[in-house]
Amino acid sequence: MLETICDILVDAYKRNWITSRDGNVSIRHHDRDHFYITPSGVRKQTLQPDQFKKIGISQGSHVTPIAIDLPYTDISANLKPSGELPLHFGLQKKMGQHKDEVRVVVHVHPTYCIAAMHAGIDLSTISDAFPELNRYTKVAPNVGDVPPISQELADQCHKNLQLDQKGNIAYDIVGIKGHGVVAIDTSPWRAYEHIERLEHICKIVLASGKYGT
Ligand SMILES: [Zn+2]
């Protein structure tokens, strides 16, 4: 699935959802005590599976899990994990409703989602009017202005997704004002489709001119 993640990031680049070095993705299989995350600062058009970083999740029920950079490939040894590691780690350390599956977390900067938040729209409020969105995708309330690659961004995203101690989440996607979105599902393309659906509806809402007060 690392190749599929490379494919979705190329697709995101072609859609102008990221510039070359933006965006990050993580993936965990339920029966592994590690996950993979995209490296920091690498051009997404040329990202290769052997560049991913392998992150261990420390064991021990009485200890707060911590992320450990594990050896993976010679190429990845010279790279750092994405700066949004705290965001991904919080969602990957316990898999919640995906505990028997795979969990994929995708973060990109889709144009119309960000434009809608910039225009004052809470993305969680627009799905009521659009069944093609709300049938498949649960949208969390927006996260406000938080610095990129910060623990604050991670904490606010986790809170708005209603992430609990077991890793359960109440939503499929959350928007971060002035920044982007984070989507979660059981495969790269499923997570990607939440973004695509929300982006499509945001484009329609903005085209209608009927929003805001
Ligand atoms: Zn970002």
Side-chain angles (χ1 to χ4, degrees):
M1 282 209 221
L2 297 183
E3 281 191 18
T4 310
I5 292 171
C6 296
D7 290 344
I8 68 167
L9 284 167
V10 169
D11 197 70
Y13 177 76
K14 287 180 181 165
R15 290 172 186 243
N16 287 316
W17 289 1
I18 49 172
T19 60
S20 293
R21 297 178 200 277
D22 293 342
N24 37 77
V25 181
S26 66
I27 179 166
R28 182 177 176 192
H29 292 260
H30 69 91
D31 55 350
R32 317 271 168 84
D33 58 2
H34 62 261
F35 65 95
Y36 295 92
I37 187 166
T38 48
S40 174
V42 169
R43 292 180 68 237
K44 300 308 185 298
Q45 303 97 312
T46 57
L47 181 68
Q48 300 293 324
D50 59 5
Q51 293 177 308
F52 279 69
K53 297 294 291 184
K54 186 176 179 182
I55 305 294
I57 301 163
S58 72
Q59 297 300 301
S61 57
H62 302 297
V63 183
T64 304
I66 55 167
I68 307 162
D69 196 336
L70 297 174
Y72 181 41
T73 63
D74 288 348
I75 292 169
S76 68
N78 296 316
L79 297 168
K80 290 193 168 114
S82 164
E84 302 288 9
L85 179 60
L87 166 72
H88 290 269
F89 182 66
L91 287 159
Q92 297 290 16
K93 65 186 181 188
K94 302 269 185 189
M95 292 179 66
Q97 65 262 52
H98 304 133
K99 66 182 177 357
D100 298 321
E101 300 173 279
V102 170
R103 175 171 276 183
V104 179
V105 179
V106 178
H107 167 60
V108 289
H109 306 157
T111 312
Y112 292 99
C113 292
I114 299 171
M117 290 188 282
H118 187 68
I121 300 170
D122 190 322
L123 302 181
S124 68
T125 64
I126 61 173
S127 67
D128 290 350
F130 295 92
E132 286 304 314
L133 177 61
N134 64 41
R135 280 171 70 193
Y136 306 108
T137 298
K138 295 193 287 292
V139 184
N142 296 351
V143 168
D145 288 313
V146 289
I149 57 171
S150 66
Q151 187 64 47
E152 190 183 355
L153 180 149
D155 292 344
Q156 286 297 317
C157 287
H158 298 160
K159 181 174 170 234
N160 287 21
L161 288 163
Q162 294 184 17
L163 177 69
D164 69 15
Q165 294 288 326
K166 293 181 177 171
N168 292 298
I169 46 175
Y171 299 99
D172 302 306
I173 187 165
V174 61
I176 308 159
K177 191 166 173 285
H179 185 166
V181 300
V182 181
I184 304 101
D185 212 314
T186 55
S187 77
W189 283 115
R190 286 178 68 95
Y192 197 75
E193 284 169 20
H194 292 306
I195 302 168
E196 188 177 35
R197 236 173 256 128
L198 182 57
E199 176 76 344
H200 185 62
I201 296 301
C202 284
K203 188 173 183 179
I204 291 167
V205 169
L206 290 169
S208 78
K210 293 190 177 178
Y211 55 89
T213 52

